Amino acid sequence: MAGLDLWLSRDQSHNKVSVTQKNVNDLGLTDRVNLVTGDMTKLNFPDASFDVVTSSFAIHNIKK
């Protein structure tokens, strides 16, 4: 599982990769979750890498 974000605190208060990684660690999910810094409009994953994609607090930030 991958968690992708730009990690910009202006978009979401206290949005930091270190805070999210601590949550992953505390939940014992380090072997299942890989946090990635990236732009959802320029994904660096091969086609068909994922079966399901979800988004929260992000789609509205895409500029035309």
Side-chain angles (χ1 to χ4, degrees):
M1 179 182 309
L4 177 85
D5 203 322
L6 290 172
W7 311 110
L8 302 175
S9 61
R10 72 170 190 248
D11 292 333
Q12 196 171 1
S13 181
H14 307 295
N15 188 26
K16 296 180 184 175
V17 69
S18 60
V19 172
T20 304
Q21 186 64 58
K22 181 179 181 325
N23 290 338
V24 170
N25 297 348
D26 290 350
L27 292 168
L29 299 173
T30 54
D31 60 330
R32 296 178 58 194
V33 176
N34 178 36
L35 299 179
V36 179
T37 301
D39 182 336
M40 69 178 160
T41 65
K42 301 171 189 151
L43 296 176
N44 193 22
F45 297 101
D47 289 347
S49 292
F50 303 97
D51 294 324
V52 176
V53 176
T54 63
S55 176
S56 179
F57 301 113
I59 302 287
H60 64 279
N61 287 328
I62 296 176
K63 305 220 185 321
K64 291 183 180 184

